[in-house]
Amino acid sequence: RHRGAANGGAGPGFGRAAEPAPAVPQGLLRLARRSGQLNLAGRGLTHVPEHVWRINVDVPEEAQQNLSFNADDRWWEQTDLTKLILASNKLQSLSEDVQLLPALTMLDVHDNQLTSLPSALGQLENLQKLDVSHNKLRSLPEELLQLPHLRSLLLQHNELSLLPEGLGQLLTLEELDVSNNHLTAVPTSFALLVNLVRLNLACNQLKELPADLSAMKSLRQLDCTKNYLETVPSKLASMASLEQLYLRKNKLRSLPEFPSCKLLKELHAGENQIEILNAENLKQLSSLCVLELRDNKIKTVPEEITVLQKLERLDLANNDISRLPYTLGNLPQLKFLALEGNPLRTIRRDLLQKGTQELLKYLRSKIQDDGPGPDAEPPVTAMTLPSQSKVNIHAITTLKLLDYSDKQAAEIPEAVFDAVGTNPVATVNFSKNQLREIPSRLMELKDSVCDVSLGFNKISSISSELCVLHKLTHLDLRNNALTALPEEMEALKRLHTINLAFNRFKVFPSVLYRLPALETILLSNNQVGSIDPLQLKGMDKLGTLDLQNNDLLHVPPELGNCENLRSLLLEGNPFRTPRAAILAKGTAAVLEYLRSRIPT
């Protein structure tokens, strides 16, 4: 009977050989019979060969040709297949023959082109993990809801517009990811998933969450990033196990209340429309370590924020906060405080640049003295008279330095430039003023100037005139209001250090990729959302790239190929990987990790 079956199978076998789908090597199948695991990822398969589904049913081919077996080849002692990986192929469908593998505990078919799933999946009663993410699924078979031991169901990055109402029957489920679909609602039966630990609903079209979610007593992580939520049901506050809640990029106007969430450690609610921080709400979050509220419309921070004694990271960047409670300085665990992009009146911008510890020290020093101290910004005058300008002629002639910094001047007096005369000036420092544009007379120094500091001003755009400074090697534009750089800057062929920290860049300035001499790019505390690793790799000299506290949701693995980087700083961005533990190991470890993630 078996020989007949083998001969009968030869026809289709030869027919398939002509197709582009490569056959599965016999050696791999032999190994799978012994180990119970078969990995066919990334083999360009357009369909799964029938002998894979029948691996535990048919007599192996080699057994029909060779009737003397050593201990390794006793096929009748084979192990049932428990793990099948078919990821990253070109599969458009799965055969109902999947039911011939009843011992499967794990089936991974992510990154294919599946538009539907076979109903026979419902017969795999030992299945614990099913990964069908990154496909083109528009619906799920009802039979899927019969799997009695399913613990992990990964459905992210498909085309699902609704989930079966009976999904709550999967009582053993611990992890459910339906992010990046087209869902507009969540089945109320979700409430039955009492063993669910992680639920990811991010990047859908949800306008509300069912209050019944509060019945998920085991839920520790809930991700609702990038939906259309305007409120969060008050009943959710009774989720006693919740530790991480992601609500970024929604339409929330206020922070939800959490009276029972005593274990909540991370609350991410950036990029909403929150205007008020309610003191009562904060008092309930005694375990909170991370509070991320950047890019909202918060005007004041209540004194009660100091009850968050375990807080380690507080991100209030880009809000409308004009003053801070000085008692913030007393939070014992606070290691990271982001305040850039706020109209703070009592804290000078250069102090923000010095980092969290200096800022906290300053706040503590002000607790006693609650009036505006000596550090308050002096009044801005529209014009500073030449008699006050105090130009240091000695510095010009001996140090080649033109210094007119820290004067809070709205423009640089003509007398300052007149004082230069014919002396060559190498360094210009006009930082800490109220300049709204780059002084045009700076271009007069084009034959000698190589270092220009214009940090801590109010400059919102750069004139293309700057590009005549062909000897420029250092350019400091930190703490301004820049959103773009002129393309003409590619003329600055000698520029090797540029500081653009604390500005308003939403995209990485493309002209930087075309500056071959650049060794250092400081771009922290902006709103940059992505970088181009291929263009960065072309920057042979680049050794330092600081992108801390931006809006990077994803770090491209190809960045790992930029092996010239000696210092890559990525902390304070909303991406999930690499995790903080890897970032803490330093640049070499981060690059190595990224390289390991490059798809082969």
Side-chain angles (χ1 to χ4, degrees):
R1 185 178 69 82
H2 290 307
R3 196 168 291 115
N7 293 340
F14 284 117
R16 276 196 199 114
E19 293 180 22
V24 176
Q26 286 298 324
L28 212 51
L29 294 176
R30 233 183 351 261
L31 200 62
R33 286 192 188 94
R34 288 210 295 274
S35 68
Q37 303 185 2
L38 179 57
N39 186 346
L40 298 176
R43 288 182 170 267
L45 298 174
T46 54
H47 62 266
V48 181
E50 193 178 355
H51 56 263
V52 170
W53 299 129
R54 301 184 66 84
I55 187 170
N56 296 141
V57 179
D58 290 347
V59 177
E61 209 171 285
E62 66 269 22
Q64 294 156 20
Q65 292 148 10
N66 171 14
L67 296 173
S68 63
F69 302 103
N70 61 30
D72 282 347
D73 288 333
R74 290 179 183 155
W75 58 266
W76 57 86
E77 292 178 2
Q78 66 181 343
T79 305
D80 282 346
L81 202 64
T82 58
K83 191 173 179 179
L84 177 57
I85 301 174
L86 296 164
S88 303
N89 281 294
K90 298 172 183 172
L91 304 175
Q92 294 183 356
S93 63
L94 284 183
S95 163
E96 296 285 345
D97 285 347
V98 69
Q99 65 192 325
L100 298 176
L101 298 171
L104 276 186
T105 59
M106 191 268 239
L107 176 60
D108 180 354
V109 283
H110 84 266
D111 188 23
N112 277 285
Q113 296 160 25
L114 300 176
T115 53
S116 63
L117 295 174
S119 54
L121 277 179
Q123 296 182 40
L124 303 180
E125 56 181 43
N126 291 300
L127 201 62
Q128 295 178 20
K129 177 172 182 175
L130 177 60
D131 185 349
V132 290
S133 62
H134 292 270
N135 277 286
K136 297 178 178 178
L137 299 175
R138 297 199 164 168
S139 62
L140 300 175
E142 290 288 328
E143 289 81 1
L144 194 64
L145 311 178
Q146 299 162 10
L147 297 170
H149 300 297
L150 197 63
R151 301 214 317 246
S152 172
L153 178 56
L154 305 180
L155 298 163
Q156 67 269 31
H157 289 276
N158 276 287
E159 295 172 15
L160 299 169
S161 51
L162 79 165
L163 295 172
E165 185 53 51
L167 205 62
Q169 292 165 233
L170 296 170
L171 298 178
T172 51
L173 214 53
E174 295 172 10
E175 176 180 37
L176 175 60
D177 191 337
V178 291
S179 62
N180 291 280
N181 277 284
H182 309 312
L183 302 175
T184 53
V186 172
T188 49
S189 69
F190 263 32
L192 302 172
L193 301 175
V194 291
N195 291 304
L196 204 64
V197 175
R198 286 182 297 281
L199 174 58
N200 192 342
L201 300 168
C203 302
N204 278 288
Q205 295 159 26
L206 302 174
K207 291 186 175 167
E208 57 183 9
L209 294 175
D212 299 348
L213 289 188
S214 58
M216 294 181 173
K217 295 301 178 201
S218 306
L219 200 67
R220 292 211 292 264
Q221 187 183 74
L222 175 59
D223 191 341
C224 300
T225 303
K226 208 170 182 186
N227 278 283
Y228 299 111
L229 302 176
E230 293 181 12
T231 57
V232 173
S234 55
K235 276 180 78 175
L236 249 55
S238 63
M239 300 176 82
S241 298
L242 202 60
E243 293 179 8
Q244 294 173 306
L245 178 59
Y246 294 87
L247 295 166
R248 298 185 89 245
K249 297 195 176 190
N250 278 284
K251 300 193 171 202
L252 300 176
R253 294 190 173 278
S254 61
L255 207 56
E257 293 182 37
F258 300 101
S260 302
C261 298
K262 300 286 187 238
L263 299 178
L264 195 66
K265 292 184 173 64
E266 295 188 24
L267 175 56
H268 300 261
E271 291 190 60
N272 278 283
Q273 295 160 23
I274 298 171
E275 295 182 6
I276 293 173
L277 279 187
N278 186 320
E280 286 305 308
N281 295 10
L282 292 174
K283 285 179 183 174
Q284 297 147 1
L285 301 172
S286 53
S287 297
L288 209 62
C289 302
V290 176
L291 180 57
E292 188 266 302
L293 294 166
R294 65 183 295 136
D295 295 285
N296 277 288
K297 297 176 178 175
I298 297 165
K299 292 184 171 56
T300 57
V301 179
E303 295 276 348
E304 286 79 0
I305 199 157
T306 52
V307 301
L308 306 180
Q309 289 287 298
K310 293 183 180 173
L311 204 60
E312 294 175 17
R313 295 177 66 87
L314 175 60
D315 191 342
L316 295 166
N318 305 323
N319 277 282
D320 296 328
I321 300 164
S322 55
R323 65 177 302 280
L324 278 181
Y326 294 134
T327 47
L328 203 58
N330 285 337
L331 285 176
Q333 308 290 330
L334 200 61
K335 298 180 182 69
F336 173 86
L337 174 61
L339 295 168
E340 67 278 0
N342 282 289
L344 288 165
R345 297 202 189 98
T346 50
I347 298 175
R348 286 169 55 141
R349 278 196 293 176
D350 59 324
L351 191 61
L352 294 180
Q353 183 75 23
K354 287 179 180 172
T356 300
Q357 293 314 314
E358 286 294 314
L359 190 51
L360 295 178
K361 200 191 300 181
Y362 167 78
L363 290 171
R364 283 194 293 274
S365 75
K366 301 294 284 180
I367 291 173
Q368 305 305 321
D369 160 32
D370 218 341
D375 284 339
E377 291 192 2
V380 178
T381 51
M383 181 65 191
T384 308
L385 297 171
S387 59
Q388 296 170 275
S389 60
K390 299 192 182 75
V391 183
N392 187 336
I393 304 291
H394 173 74
I396 293 174
T397 53
T398 59
L399 303 175
K400 298 184 180 177
L401 163 67
L402 179 59
D403 187 353
Y404 196 79
S405 62
D406 215 357
K407 301 280 194 288
Q408 302 299 326
E411 51 190 74
I412 306 297
E414 299 293 326
V416 173
F417 290 104
D418 294 342
V420 174
T422 57
N423 292 295
V425 167
T427 304
V428 172
N429 185 358
F430 291 160
S431 64
K432 300 182 188 170
N433 283 294
Q434 301 282 333
L435 304 179
R436 294 187 179 274
E437 58 187 9
I438 294 177
S440 58
R441 286 192 67 183
L442 182 61
M443 315 320 155
E444 295 171 11
L445 310 175
K446 66 178 187 294
D447 292 329
S448 57
V449 74
C450 51
D451 186 336
V452 171
S453 289
L454 289 160
F456 302 95
N457 278 288
K458 295 185 172 180
I459 299 167
S460 57
S461 69
I462 302 277
S463 150
S464 56
E465 279 184 286
L466 183 77
C467 310
V468 304
L469 303 179
H470 56 94
K471 291 193 173 175
L472 206 57
T473 58
H474 288 74
L475 180 57
D476 187 345
L477 291 164
R478 76 182 100 164
N479 290 71
N480 277 286
L482 296 171
T483 55
L485 296 178
E487 297 300 320
E488 292 87 347
M489 271 182 70
E490 67 181 304
L492 302 177
K493 298 297 184 197
R494 297 190 191 180
L495 191 66
H496 66 69
T497 299
I498 188 164
N499 190 342
L500 300 168
F502 291 94
N503 275 283
R504 296 177 188 171
F505 290 96
K506 291 197 167 162
V507 292
F508 190 96
S510 59
V511 69
L512 298 183
Y513 295 128
R514 302 196 297 281
L515 292 170
L518 269 181
E519 297 172 15
T520 299
I521 298 176
L522 305 177
L523 199 55
S524 68
N525 297 283
N526 280 278
Q527 297 157 41
V528 174
S530 65
I531 45 175
D532 184 336
L534 296 175
Q535 297 212 60
L536 281 170
K537 189 175 188 317
M539 303 177 73
D540 299 336
K541 302 264 175 61
L542 191 63
T544 298
L545 179 58
D546 184 352
L547 290 164
Q548 293 178 97
N549 306 321
N550 275 281
D551 286 349
L552 295 174
L553 284 167
H554 169 69
V555 182
E558 294 78 10
L559 188 59
N561 288 330
C562 299
E563 296 185 33
N564 294 329
L565 282 176
R566 294 184 306 283
S567 176
L568 173 63
L569 302 169
L570 296 169
E571 286 79 3
N573 278 283
F575 56 76
R576 299 285 175 78
T577 56
R579 295 195 176 278
I582 291 169
L583 296 181
K585 291 179 182 174
T587 299
V590 172
L591 294 177
E592 187 182 342
Y593 168 82
L594 289 171
R595 283 195 295 277
S596 75
R597 307 273 291 197
I598 297 174
T600 48

